[in-house]
Amino acid sequence: MVLDDVPAPEPGPGEVLIRNRASATNNADLPMLAEADPTHGGTGKESIAGFEYAGEIAAVGSDAGDWKVGDPVMGTFPAAFAQYLVADHRFVLPRPKALAPEVACALPTALLTEFGALTIAGFQSGQSVLSTGASTGIGMIGVQIAKTLGASKIIATTRSTDKKDLLTRLGADTVIVTGKDDHLTRAVLAATDDEGVNVVLDHVAGDTFAACLPATAHDGHVVNIGRLAGPATTIDLDDLSYRHLTVHGVSFGFSRDWETVPILEGLHAQVLPAVGRGDITPVIDTTLNIEQYREAADRLRNGNTVGKIVFTFA
Ligand SMILES: NC(=O)c1ccc[n+]([C@@H]2O[C@H](COP(=O)([O-])OP(=O)(O)OC[C@H]3O[C@@H](n4cnc5c(N)ncnc54)[C@H](OP(=O)(O)O)[C@@H]3O)[C@@H](O)[C@H]2O)c1
């Protein structure tokens, strides 16, 4: 990453200009940086990194909805590590007044992804949820959303014993520490009277994904969100067939507005009120000024963060 001065963008039709006050990092920043890094075989092509922002509306393009200059906003959109960015007005979320930008910026990607995954799984109040890699930045928000939406039981996994209490505080009823022995399926069945869970939010993939299938209840839904342990695995198709499972893959992006816009509308109605009340809050590892970008990239790469790294733009 390098820090540079570039002209502020101008909003086109359907776009708003946002004065960004704070941005949060995501695991997805790492492959993007690696792809561009010429010292490690990358393309050398420069672009503005970052996906999450919080600030206020600075200008409104034509046909850009009801936004007004000064409205507090937050959202997820490319080129977010900058003082100014333009975004499609339909992807912008109102920022609850009580939420400071340096907190709000750590929410939008997780809100969209986790609520979107629950929506696609047809999650309903009273159902049980398993979140693998629940200690990820997005996973910790998913646990809180599931709680807010009335999950009967939330089972969370982490590889780190010292994150058990944190996940319990966020709303997990059972925390399984994975990696010691291969017991994920057994532990989930034990926590659900041998029924399995109704919905799986899988951030880990690899063998963990395969282990989730026999831990899912009949007619349940398994949503793959992340592939932290690698994209490949071997599954037993008997687990799918005999349990009548549905498997989904999600990758919420800006190009598939027909998919993302309705999810943002549902999020607005069902989840943002809880964010405004402070019932859903991000876990923030470190807050740095944008000039400390190298430290942020190093922290992101070393993988020992708990929650989000936030940049402020003074
Ligand atoms: N589908 C989508 O639209 C979408 C959107 C956003 C993110 N994602 C994906 O979701 C995943 C999480 O993203 P994030 O930014 O929230 O992550 P993050 O905060 O960087 O997650 C870091 C945590 O992941 C866990 N972890 C790392 N490697 C692991 C492995 N091999 N096996 C199991 N756990 C591992 C570790 O927690 P423990 O030490 O507690 O195990 C680590 O502290 C990423 O794969 C990301 O690409 C997908």
Side-chain angles (χ1 to χ4, degrees), residues 25-28 109 113 133 135-139 157-160 163 178 203-204 224-230 250-253 300 303-308:
T25 62
N26 280 281
N27 207 278
T109 301
T113 307
S135 51
T136 54
I138 63 172
T157 80
T158 168
R159 299 170 306 173
S160 313
K163 292 182 192 163
T178 57
H203 305 93
V204 175
N224 177 254
I225 298 171
R227 283 153 307 278
L228 288 164
V250 294
S251 182
F252 293 104
L300 197 60
N304 295 328
T305 54
V306 183
K308 305 285 261 186

PDB file of all heavy atoms in Angstrom, residues 25-28 109 113 133 135-139 157-160 163 178 203-204 224-230 250-253 300 303-308, ligand 1:
ATOM      1  N   THR A  25     -10.821  -2.394   7.668  1.00  0.00           N
ATOM      2  CA  THR A  25     -10.218  -3.393   6.780  1.00  0.00           C
ATOM      3  C   THR A  25     -11.056  -4.663   6.778  1.00  0.00           C
ATOM      4  O   THR A  25     -11.863  -4.890   7.680  1.00  0.00           O
ATOM      5  CB  THR A  25      -8.790  -3.753   7.238  1.00  0.00           C
ATOM      6  OG1 THR A  25      -8.858  -4.321   8.534  1.00  0.00           O
ATOM      7  CG2 THR A  25      -7.891  -2.540   7.245  1.00  0.00           C
ATOM      8  N   ASN A  26     -10.843  -5.465   5.753  1.00  0.00           N
ATOM      9  CA  ASN A  26     -11.495  -6.772   5.613  1.00  0.00           C
ATOM     10  C   ASN A  26     -10.465  -7.780   5.171  1.00  0.00           C
ATOM     11  O   ASN A  26      -9.473  -7.418   4.524  1.00  0.00           O
ATOM     12  CB  ASN A  26     -12.588  -6.710   4.529  1.00  0.00           C
ATOM     13  CG  ASN A  26     -13.863  -6.102   5.046  1.00  0.00           C
ATOM     14  OD1 ASN A  26     -14.641  -6.748   5.728  1.00  0.00           O
ATOM     15  ND2 ASN A  26     -14.065  -4.834   4.746  1.00  0.00           N
ATOM     16  N   ASN A  27     -10.723  -9.057   5.469  1.00  0.00           N
ATOM     17  CA  ASN A  27      -9.848 -10.121   4.990  1.00  0.00           C
ATOM     18  C   ASN A  27      -9.657 -10.040   3.477  1.00  0.00           C
ATOM     19  O   ASN A  27      -8.580 -10.306   2.948  1.00  0.00           O
ATOM     20  CB  ASN A  27     -10.470 -11.464   5.380  1.00  0.00           C
ATOM     21  CG  ASN A  27      -9.439 -12.534   5.527  1.00  0.00           C
ATOM     22  OD1 ASN A  27      -9.035 -13.108   4.527  1.00  0.00           O
ATOM     23  ND2 ASN A  27      -8.973 -12.778   6.739  1.00  0.00           N
ATOM     24  N   ALA A  28     -10.701  -9.600   2.770  1.00  0.00           N
ATOM     25  CA  ALA A  28     -10.645  -9.515   1.299  1.00  0.00           C
ATOM     26  C   ALA A  28      -9.633  -8.476   0.812  1.00  0.00           C
ATOM     27  O   ALA A  28      -9.232  -8.501  -0.362  1.00  0.00           O
ATOM     28  CB  ALA A  28     -12.027  -9.179   0.761  1.00  0.00           C
ATOM     29  N   THR A 109     -20.084  -4.230   5.739  1.00  0.00           N
ATOM     30  CA  THR A 109     -19.825  -5.480   5.013  1.00  0.00           C
ATOM     31  C   THR A 109     -20.413  -6.659   5.783  1.00  0.00           C
ATOM     32  O   THR A 109     -21.074  -7.540   5.208  1.00  0.00           O
ATOM     33  CB  THR A 109     -18.311  -5.693   4.800  1.00  0.00           C
ATOM     34  OG1 THR A 109     -17.807  -4.590   4.062  1.00  0.00           O
ATOM     35  CG2 THR A 109     -18.030  -6.983   4.056  1.00  0.00           C
ATOM     36  N   THR A 113     -23.428  -9.040   4.523  1.00  0.00           N
ATOM     37  CA  THR A 113     -23.087 -10.441   4.250  1.00  0.00           C
ATOM     38  C   THR A 113     -23.844 -11.393   5.167  1.00  0.00           C
ATOM     39  O   THR A 113     -24.443 -12.377   4.719  1.00  0.00           O
ATOM     40  CB  THR A 113     -21.567 -10.658   4.421  1.00  0.00           C
ATOM     41  OG1 THR A 113     -20.884  -9.704   3.618  1.00  0.00           O
ATOM     42  CG2 THR A 113     -21.158 -12.049   4.017  1.00  0.00           C
ATOM     43  N   GLY A 133     -16.106 -20.314  12.309  1.00  0.00           N
ATOM     44  CA  GLY A 133     -15.257 -19.124  12.223  1.00  0.00           C
ATOM     45  C   GLY A 133     -16.037 -17.905  12.686  1.00  0.00           C
ATOM     46  O   GLY A 133     -15.939 -16.828  12.104  1.00  0.00           O
ATOM     47  N   SER A 135     -15.534 -16.105  15.057  1.00  0.00           N
ATOM     48  CA  SER A 135     -14.653 -15.070  15.593  1.00  0.00           C
ATOM     49  C   SER A 135     -14.112 -14.140  14.511  1.00  0.00           C
ATOM     50  O   SER A 135     -13.377 -13.206  14.808  1.00  0.00           O
ATOM     51  CB  SER A 135     -13.473 -15.745  16.289  1.00  0.00           C
ATOM     52  OG  SER A 135     -12.922 -16.699  15.381  1.00  0.00           O
ATOM     53  N   THR A 136     -14.469 -14.380  13.258  1.00  0.00           N
ATOM     54  CA  THR A 136     -14.062 -13.451  12.197  1.00  0.00           C
ATOM     55  C   THR A 136     -14.826 -12.136  12.383  1.00  0.00           C
ATOM     56  O   THR A 136     -15.866 -12.100  13.052  1.00  0.00           O
ATOM     57  CB  THR A 136     -14.405 -14.029  10.804  1.00  0.00           C
ATOM     58  OG1 THR A 136     -15.790 -14.370  10.793  1.00  0.00           O
ATOM     59  CG2 THR A 136     -13.591 -15.269  10.510  1.00  0.00           C
ATOM     60  N   GLY A 137     -14.309 -11.076  11.759  1.00  0.00           N
ATOM     61  CA  GLY A 137     -14.976  -9.777  11.887  1.00  0.00           C
ATOM     62  C   GLY A 137     -16.444  -9.870  11.490  1.00  0.00           C
ATOM     63  O   GLY A 137     -17.334  -9.392  12.206  1.00  0.00           O
ATOM     64  N   ILE A 138     -16.710 -10.522  10.352  1.00  0.00           N
ATOM     65  CA  ILE A 138     -18.109 -10.607   9.919  1.00  0.00           C
ATOM     66  C   ILE A 138     -18.893 -11.609  10.761  1.00  0.00           C
ATOM     67  O   ILE A 138     -20.064 -11.401  11.048  1.00  0.00           O
ATOM     68  CB  ILE A 138     -18.241 -10.902   8.407  1.00  0.00           C
ATOM     69  CG1 ILE A 138     -17.653 -12.240   8.015  1.00  0.00           C
ATOM     70  CG2 ILE A 138     -17.646  -9.805   7.563  1.00  0.00           C
ATOM     71  CD1 ILE A 138     -17.964 -12.610   6.548  1.00  0.00           C
ATOM     72  N   GLY A 139     -18.229 -12.695  11.179  1.00  0.00           N
ATOM     73  CA  GLY A 139     -18.918 -13.724  11.961  1.00  0.00           C
ATOM     74  C   GLY A 139     -19.455 -13.179  13.281  1.00  0.00           C
ATOM     75  O   GLY A 139     -20.562 -13.540  13.714  1.00  0.00           O
ATOM     76  N   THR A 157     -18.078 -21.379  16.361  1.00  0.00           N
ATOM     77  CA  THR A 157     -16.785 -22.052  16.458  1.00  0.00           C
ATOM     78  C   THR A 157     -15.644 -21.044  16.340  1.00  0.00           C
ATOM     79  O   THR A 157     -15.770 -19.995  15.713  1.00  0.00           O
ATOM     80  CB  THR A 157     -16.578 -23.147  15.371  1.00  0.00           C
ATOM     81  OG1 THR A 157     -16.189 -22.538  14.135  1.00  0.00           O
ATOM     82  CG2 THR A 157     -17.818 -23.994  15.173  1.00  0.00           C
ATOM     83  N   THR A 158     -14.543 -21.378  16.998  1.00  0.00           N
ATOM     84  CA  THR A 158     -13.291 -20.627  16.917  1.00  0.00           C
ATOM     85  C   THR A 158     -12.175 -21.647  17.113  1.00  0.00           C
ATOM     86  O   THR A 158     -12.412 -22.725  17.667  1.00  0.00           O
ATOM     87  CB  THR A 158     -13.206 -19.533  17.996  1.00  0.00           C
ATOM     88  OG1 THR A 158     -11.866 -19.032  18.056  1.00  0.00           O
ATOM     89  CG2 THR A 158     -13.560 -20.056  19.379  1.00  0.00           C
ATOM     90  N   ARG A 159     -10.956 -21.289  16.679  1.00  0.00           N
ATOM     91  CA  ARG A 159      -9.829 -22.179  16.966  1.00  0.00           C
ATOM     92  C   ARG A 159      -9.133 -21.766  18.264  1.00  0.00           C
ATOM     93  O   ARG A 159      -8.206 -22.420  18.697  1.00  0.00           O
ATOM     94  CB  ARG A 159      -8.810 -22.128  15.822  1.00  0.00           C
ATOM     95  CG  ARG A 159      -9.363 -22.571  14.482  1.00  0.00           C
ATOM     96  CD  ARG A 159      -8.382 -22.259  13.386  1.00  0.00           C
ATOM     97  NE  ARG A 159      -8.009 -20.845  13.431  1.00  0.00           N
ATOM     98  CZ  ARG A 159      -7.069 -20.280  12.696  1.00  0.00           C
ATOM     99  NH1 ARG A 159      -6.362 -21.017  11.866  1.00  0.00           N
ATOM    100  NH2 ARG A 159      -6.817 -18.995  12.794  1.00  0.00           N
ATOM    101  N   SER A 160      -9.562 -20.638  18.834  1.00  0.00           N
ATOM    102  CA  SER A 160      -8.829 -20.039  19.965  1.00  0.00           C
ATOM    103  C   SER A 160      -9.663 -20.087  21.240  1.00  0.00           C
ATOM    104  O   SER A 160     -10.704 -19.431  21.330  1.00  0.00           O
ATOM    105  CB  SER A 160      -8.496 -18.580  19.648  1.00  0.00           C
ATOM    106  OG  SER A 160      -7.962 -18.462  18.346  1.00  0.00           O
ATOM    107  N   LYS A 163     -11.059 -16.923  22.857  1.00  0.00           N
ATOM    108  CA  LYS A 163     -12.162 -16.130  22.278  1.00  0.00           C
ATOM    109  C   LYS A 163     -13.544 -16.663  22.699  1.00  0.00           C
ATOM    110  O   LYS A 163     -14.562 -16.141  22.265  1.00  0.00           O
ATOM    111  CB  LYS A 163     -12.052 -16.108  20.752  1.00  0.00           C
ATOM    112  CG  LYS A 163     -10.836 -15.331  20.257  1.00  0.00           C
ATOM    113  CD  LYS A 163     -10.786 -15.298  18.747  1.00  0.00           C
ATOM    114  CE  LYS A 163      -9.436 -14.783  18.258  1.00  0.00           C
ATOM    115  NZ  LYS A 163      -9.215 -15.105  16.846  1.00  0.00           N
ATOM    116  N   THR A 178     -12.447 -25.539  17.818  1.00  0.00           N
ATOM    117  CA  THR A 178     -12.084 -26.561  16.831  1.00  0.00           C
ATOM    118  C   THR A 178     -10.567 -26.708  16.749  1.00  0.00           C
ATOM    119  O   THR A 178      -9.826 -25.853  17.227  1.00  0.00           O
ATOM    120  CB  THR A 178     -12.617 -26.184  15.436  1.00  0.00           C
ATOM    121  OG1 THR A 178     -12.096 -24.898  15.106  1.00  0.00           O
ATOM    122  CG2 THR A 178     -14.119 -26.155  15.395  1.00  0.00           C
ATOM    123  N   HIS A 203     -17.835 -19.793   7.457  1.00  0.00           N
ATOM    124  CA  HIS A 203     -16.786 -18.854   7.038  1.00  0.00           C
ATOM    125  C   HIS A 203     -15.461 -19.565   6.786  1.00  0.00           C
ATOM    126  O   HIS A 203     -14.491 -18.934   6.407  1.00  0.00           O
ATOM    127  CB  HIS A 203     -16.575 -17.784   8.121  1.00  0.00           C
ATOM    128  CG  HIS A 203     -17.828 -17.053   8.482  1.00  0.00           C
ATOM    129  ND1 HIS A 203     -18.639 -17.439   9.522  1.00  0.00           N
ATOM    130  CD2 HIS A 203     -18.419 -15.994   7.910  1.00  0.00           C
ATOM    131  CE1 HIS A 203     -19.686 -16.631   9.594  1.00  0.00           C
ATOM    132  NE2 HIS A 203     -19.586 -15.749   8.623  1.00  0.00           N
ATOM    133  N   VAL A 204     -15.413 -20.863   7.052  1.00  0.00           N
ATOM    134  CA  VAL A 204     -14.120 -21.571   7.087  1.00  0.00           C
ATOM    135  C   VAL A 204     -13.894 -22.444   5.857  1.00  0.00           C
ATOM    136  O   VAL A 204     -12.804 -22.501   5.308  1.00  0.00           O
ATOM    137  CB  VAL A 204     -14.027 -22.406   8.391  1.00  0.00           C
ATOM    138  CG1 VAL A 204     -12.761 -23.254   8.404  1.00  0.00           C
ATOM    139  CG2 VAL A 204     -14.046 -21.485   9.615  1.00  0.00           C
ATOM    140  N   ASN A 224     -22.160 -21.207   2.394  1.00  0.00           N
ATOM    141  CA  ASN A 224     -20.725 -20.939   2.453  1.00  0.00           C
ATOM    142  C   ASN A 224     -20.493 -19.462   2.183  1.00  0.00           C
ATOM    143  O   ASN A 224     -20.882 -18.928   1.144  1.00  0.00           O
ATOM    144  CB  ASN A 224     -19.934 -21.789   1.471  1.00  0.00           C
ATOM    145  CG  ASN A 224     -18.467 -21.401   1.528  1.00  0.00           C
ATOM    146  OD1 ASN A 224     -17.958 -20.751   0.632  1.00  0.00           O
ATOM    147  ND2 ASN A 224     -17.808 -21.702   2.628  1.00  0.00           N
ATOM    148  N   ILE A 225     -19.808 -18.793   3.140  1.00  0.00           N
ATOM    149  CA  ILE A 225     -19.528 -17.352   3.052  1.00  0.00           C
ATOM    150  C   ILE A 225     -18.042 -17.108   2.816  1.00  0.00           C
ATOM    151  O   ILE A 225     -17.655 -16.303   1.982  1.00  0.00           O
ATOM    152  CB  ILE A 225     -19.981 -16.655   4.359  1.00  0.00           C
ATOM    153  CG1 ILE A 225     -21.493 -16.816   4.558  1.00  0.00           C
ATOM    154  CG2 ILE A 225     -19.579 -15.180   4.348  1.00  0.00           C
ATOM    155  CD1 ILE A 225     -22.000 -16.346   5.922  1.00  0.00           C
ATOM    156  N   GLY A 226     -17.188 -17.792   3.586  1.00  0.00           N
ATOM    157  CA  GLY A 226     -15.733 -17.588   3.478  1.00  0.00           C
ATOM    158  C   GLY A 226     -15.027 -18.923   3.285  1.00  0.00           C
ATOM    159  O   GLY A 226     -15.606 -19.989   3.521  1.00  0.00           O
ATOM    160  N   ARG A 227     -13.776 -18.838   2.847  1.00  0.00           N
ATOM    161  CA  ARG A 227     -13.007 -20.057   2.616  1.00  0.00           C
ATOM    162  C   ARG A 227     -11.620 -19.923   3.257  1.00  0.00           C
ATOM    163  O   ARG A 227     -10.589 -20.085   2.620  1.00  0.00           O
ATOM    164  CB  ARG A 227     -12.924 -20.352   1.108  1.00  0.00           C
ATOM    165  CG  ARG A 227     -14.247 -20.956   0.625  1.00  0.00           C
ATOM    166  CD  ARG A 227     -14.592 -20.735  -0.792  1.00  0.00           C
ATOM    167  NE  ARG A 227     -14.564 -19.376  -1.252  1.00  0.00           N
ATOM    168  CZ  ARG A 227     -15.574 -18.483  -1.089  1.00  0.00           C
ATOM    169  NH1 ARG A 227     -16.663 -18.797  -0.420  1.00  0.00           N
ATOM    170  NH2 ARG A 227     -15.466 -17.259  -1.562  1.00  0.00           N
ATOM    171  N   LEU A 228     -11.628 -19.596   4.554  1.00  0.00           N
ATOM    172  CA  LEU A 228     -10.375 -19.341   5.268  1.00  0.00           C
ATOM    173  C   LEU A 228      -9.470 -20.563   5.300  1.00  0.00           C
ATOM    174  O   LEU A 228      -8.251 -20.447   5.295  1.00  0.00           O
ATOM    175  CB  LEU A 228     -10.680 -18.887   6.707  1.00  0.00           C
ATOM    176  CG  LEU A 228     -11.247 -17.473   6.827  1.00  0.00           C
ATOM    177  CD1 LEU A 228     -11.874 -17.259   8.196  1.00  0.00           C
ATOM    178  CD2 LEU A 228     -10.176 -16.430   6.561  1.00  0.00           C
ATOM    179  N   ALA A 229     -10.051 -21.764   5.315  1.00  0.00           N
ATOM    180  CA  ALA A 229      -9.243 -22.989   5.363  1.00  0.00           C
ATOM    181  C   ALA A 229      -9.059 -23.588   3.972  1.00  0.00           C
ATOM    182  O   ALA A 229      -8.629 -24.732   3.842  1.00  0.00           O
ATOM    183  CB  ALA A 229      -9.886 -24.001   6.299  1.00  0.00           C
ATOM    184  N   GLY A 230      -9.418 -22.830   2.950  1.00  0.00           N
ATOM    185  CA  GLY A 230      -9.238 -23.316   1.577  1.00  0.00           C
ATOM    186  C   GLY A 230     -10.558 -23.693   0.935  1.00  0.00           C
ATOM    187  O   GLY A 230     -11.502 -24.087   1.624  1.00  0.00           O
ATOM    188  N   VAL A 250     -22.473 -17.634  -1.304  1.00  0.00           N
ATOM    189  CA  VAL A 250     -22.788 -16.205  -1.454  1.00  0.00           C
ATOM    190  C   VAL A 250     -21.512 -15.393  -1.610  1.00  0.00           C
ATOM    191  O   VAL A 250     -20.467 -15.729  -1.055  1.00  0.00           O
ATOM    192  CB  VAL A 250     -23.591 -15.641  -0.255  1.00  0.00           C
ATOM    193  CG1 VAL A 250     -24.974 -16.261  -0.175  1.00  0.00           C
ATOM    194  CG2 VAL A 250     -22.847 -15.805   1.054  1.00  0.00           C
ATOM    195  N   SER A 251     -21.595 -14.359  -2.397  1.00  0.00           N
ATOM    196  CA  SER A 251     -20.516 -13.387  -2.525  1.00  0.00           C
ATOM    197  C   SER A 251     -21.194 -12.078  -2.873  1.00  0.00           C
ATOM    198  O   SER A 251     -21.488 -11.830  -4.033  1.00  0.00           O
ATOM    199  CB  SER A 251     -19.543 -13.822  -3.611  1.00  0.00           C
ATOM    200  OG  SER A 251     -18.502 -12.891  -3.686  1.00  0.00           O
ATOM    201  N   PHE A 252     -21.519 -11.316  -1.838  1.00  0.00           N
ATOM    202  CA  PHE A 252     -22.312 -10.110  -2.089  1.00  0.00           C
ATOM    203  C   PHE A 252     -21.430  -9.042  -2.690  1.00  0.00           C
ATOM    204  O   PHE A 252     -20.372  -8.739  -2.178  1.00  0.00           O
ATOM    205  CB  PHE A 252     -22.965  -9.621  -0.799  1.00  0.00           C
ATOM    206  CG  PHE A 252     -23.983 -10.598  -0.326  1.00  0.00           C
ATOM    207  CD1 PHE A 252     -23.721 -11.442   0.734  1.00  0.00           C
ATOM    208  CD2 PHE A 252     -25.186 -10.722  -0.990  1.00  0.00           C
ATOM    209  CE1 PHE A 252     -24.649 -12.378   1.136  1.00  0.00           C
ATOM    210  CE2 PHE A 252     -26.122 -11.658  -0.601  1.00  0.00           C
ATOM    211  CZ  PHE A 252     -25.841 -12.484   0.472  1.00  0.00           C
ATOM    212  N   GLY A 253     -21.866  -8.523  -3.809  1.00  0.00           N
ATOM    213  CA  GLY A 253     -21.036  -7.536  -4.491  1.00  0.00           C
ATOM    214  C   GLY A 253     -21.884  -6.442  -5.058  1.00  0.00           C
ATOM    215  O   GLY A 253     -23.090  -6.403  -4.860  1.00  0.00           O
ATOM    216  N   LEU A 300      -3.022  -7.008   9.529  1.00  0.00           N
ATOM    217  CA  LEU A 300      -4.004  -7.790   8.776  1.00  0.00           C
ATOM    218  C   LEU A 300      -3.368  -9.094   8.299  1.00  0.00           C
ATOM    219  O   LEU A 300      -3.959 -10.174   8.391  1.00  0.00           O
ATOM    220  CB  LEU A 300      -4.487  -6.957   7.586  1.00  0.00           C
ATOM    221  CG  LEU A 300      -5.777  -7.366   6.894  1.00  0.00           C
ATOM    222  CD1 LEU A 300      -6.950  -7.338   7.868  1.00  0.00           C
ATOM    223  CD2 LEU A 300      -6.080  -6.403   5.725  1.00  0.00           C
ATOM    224  N   GLY A 303      -2.694 -11.999  10.939  1.00  0.00           N
ATOM    225  CA  GLY A 303      -3.861 -12.821  11.257  1.00  0.00           C
ATOM    226  C   GLY A 303      -4.167 -12.946  12.739  1.00  0.00           C
ATOM    227  O   GLY A 303      -4.979 -13.770  13.135  1.00  0.00           O
ATOM    228  N   ASN A 304      -3.494 -12.146  13.597  1.00  0.00           N
ATOM    229  CA  ASN A 304      -3.744 -12.280  15.037  1.00  0.00           C
ATOM    230  C   ASN A 304      -4.722 -11.240  15.572  1.00  0.00           C
ATOM    231  O   ASN A 304      -4.878 -11.095  16.780  1.00  0.00           O
ATOM    232  CB  ASN A 304      -2.426 -12.137  15.821  1.00  0.00           C
ATOM    233  CG  ASN A 304      -1.486 -13.276  15.493  1.00  0.00           C
ATOM    234  OD1 ASN A 304      -1.944 -14.390  15.213  1.00  0.00           O
ATOM    235  ND2 ASN A 304      -0.194 -13.012  15.500  1.00  0.00           N
ATOM    236  N   THR A 305      -5.365 -10.526  14.679  1.00  0.00           N
ATOM    237  CA  THR A 305      -6.292  -9.489  15.139  1.00  0.00           C
ATOM    238  C   THR A 305      -7.568 -10.143  15.682  1.00  0.00           C
ATOM    239  O   THR A 305      -7.957 -11.222  15.247  1.00  0.00           O
ATOM    240  CB  THR A 305      -6.673  -8.545  13.993  1.00  0.00           C
ATOM    241  OG1 THR A 305      -7.160  -9.333  12.919  1.00  0.00           O
ATOM    242  CG2 THR A 305      -5.497  -7.732  13.509  1.00  0.00           C
ATOM    243  N   VAL A 306      -8.211  -9.452  16.593  1.00  0.00           N
ATOM    244  CA  VAL A 306      -9.542  -9.875  17.042  1.00  0.00           C
ATOM    245  C   VAL A 306     -10.480  -8.744  16.644  1.00  0.00           C
ATOM    246  O   VAL A 306     -10.508  -7.697  17.265  1.00  0.00           O
ATOM    247  CB  VAL A 306      -9.588 -10.100  18.569  1.00  0.00           C
ATOM    248  CG1 VAL A 306     -10.976 -10.602  18.975  1.00  0.00           C
ATOM    249  CG2 VAL A 306      -8.518 -11.089  18.988  1.00  0.00           C
ATOM    250  N   GLY A 307     -11.185  -8.950  15.561  1.00  0.00           N
ATOM    251  CA  GLY A 307     -12.077  -7.910  15.048  1.00  0.00           C
ATOM    252  C   GLY A 307     -11.387  -7.033  14.027  1.00  0.00           C
ATOM    253  O   GLY A 307     -10.386  -7.414  13.408  1.00  0.00           O
ATOM    254  N   LYS A 308     -11.909  -5.827  13.887  1.00  0.00           N
ATOM    255  CA  LYS A 308     -11.549  -4.982  12.744  1.00  0.00           C
ATOM    256  C   LYS A 308     -10.402  -4.025  13.047  1.00  0.00           C
ATOM    257  O   LYS A 308     -10.227  -3.557  14.168  1.00  0.00           O
ATOM    258  CB  LYS A 308     -12.760  -4.133  12.362  1.00  0.00           C
ATOM    259  CG  LYS A 308     -14.005  -4.945  12.097  1.00  0.00           C
ATOM    260  CD  LYS A 308     -13.958  -5.654  10.779  1.00  0.00           C
ATOM    261  CE  LYS A 308     -14.733  -4.878   9.761  1.00  0.00           C
ATOM    262  NZ  LYS A 308     -14.822  -5.618   8.491  1.00  0.00           N
TER     263      LYS A 308
HETATM  264  N1  LIG B   1     -19.278 -13.984   0.847  1.00  0.00           N
HETATM  265  C1  LIG B   1     -19.085 -12.708   1.057  1.00  0.00           C
HETATM  266  O1  LIG B   1     -19.799 -11.855   0.501  1.00  0.00           O
HETATM  267  C2  LIG B   1     -18.008 -12.282   2.030  1.00  0.00           C
HETATM  268  C3  LIG B   1     -17.981 -10.977   2.544  1.00  0.00           C
HETATM  269  C4  LIG B   1     -16.996 -10.642   3.477  1.00  0.00           C
HETATM  270  C5  LIG B   1     -16.052 -11.605   3.864  1.00  0.00           C
HETATM  271  N2  LIG B   1     -16.086 -12.848   3.309  1.00  0.00           N
HETATM  272  C6  LIG B   1     -15.110 -13.889   3.714  1.00  0.00           C
HETATM  273  O2  LIG B   1     -15.408 -14.254   5.064  1.00  0.00           O
HETATM  274  C7  LIG B   1     -14.199 -14.645   5.742  1.00  0.00           C
HETATM  275  C8  LIG B   1     -14.055 -13.811   7.015  1.00  0.00           C
HETATM  276  O3  LIG B   1     -13.724 -12.470   6.663  1.00  0.00           O
HETATM  277  P1  LIG B   1     -13.321 -11.398   7.785  1.00  0.00           P
HETATM  278  O4  LIG B   1     -12.781 -10.199   7.098  1.00  0.00           O
HETATM  279  O5  LIG B   1     -14.434 -11.228   8.747  1.00  0.00           O
HETATM  280  O6  LIG B   1     -12.134 -12.249   8.501  1.00  0.00           O
HETATM  281  P2  LIG B   1     -11.132 -11.845   9.651  1.00  0.00           P
HETATM  282  O7  LIG B   1     -11.781 -10.914  10.616  1.00  0.00           O
HETATM  283  O8  LIG B   1      -9.839 -11.454   9.055  1.00  0.00           O
HETATM  284  O9  LIG B   1     -10.988 -13.284  10.372  1.00  0.00           O
HETATM  285  C9  LIG B   1      -9.853 -13.591  11.098  1.00  0.00           C
HETATM  286  C10 LIG B   1     -10.133 -14.842  11.933  1.00  0.00           C
HETATM  287  O10 LIG B   1     -10.469 -15.948  11.097  1.00  0.00           O
HETATM  288  C11 LIG B   1     -10.121 -17.153  11.769  1.00  0.00           C
HETATM  289  N3  LIG B   1      -9.335 -17.961  10.823  1.00  0.00           N
HETATM  290  C12 LIG B   1      -8.280 -17.566  10.077  1.00  0.00           C
HETATM  291  N4  LIG B   1      -7.796 -18.598   9.344  1.00  0.00           N
HETATM  292  C13 LIG B   1      -8.579 -19.665   9.631  1.00  0.00           C
HETATM  293  C14 LIG B   1      -8.574 -21.040   9.221  1.00  0.00           C
HETATM  294  N5  LIG B   1      -7.659 -21.515   8.357  1.00  0.00           N
HETATM  295  N6  LIG B   1      -9.509 -21.842   9.744  1.00  0.00           N
HETATM  296  C15 LIG B   1     -10.421 -21.394  10.614  1.00  0.00           C
HETATM  297  N7  LIG B   1     -10.461 -20.099  11.069  1.00  0.00           N
HETATM  298  C16 LIG B   1      -9.550 -19.267  10.570  1.00  0.00           C
HETATM  299  C17 LIG B   1      -9.257 -16.766  12.970  1.00  0.00           C
HETATM  300  O11 LIG B   1     -10.072 -16.833  14.132  1.00  0.00           O
HETATM  301  P3  LIG B   1      -9.828 -17.972  15.274  1.00  0.00           P
HETATM  302  O12 LIG B   1      -8.434 -17.825  15.729  1.00  0.00           O
HETATM  303  O13 LIG B   1     -10.845 -17.607  16.313  1.00  0.00           O
HETATM  304  O14 LIG B   1     -10.136 -19.286  14.651  1.00  0.00           O
HETATM  305  C18 LIG B   1      -8.926 -15.290  12.680  1.00  0.00           C
HETATM  306  O15 LIG B   1      -8.755 -14.527  13.863  1.00  0.00           O
HETATM  307  C19 LIG B   1     -13.066 -14.445   4.731  1.00  0.00           C
HETATM  308  O16 LIG B   1     -12.813 -15.692   4.106  1.00  0.00           O
HETATM  309  C20 LIG B   1     -13.650 -13.449   3.742  1.00  0.00           C
HETATM  310  O17 LIG B   1     -13.056 -13.530   2.465  1.00  0.00           O
HETATM  311  C21 LIG B   1     -17.043 -13.205   2.423  1.00  0.00           C
END
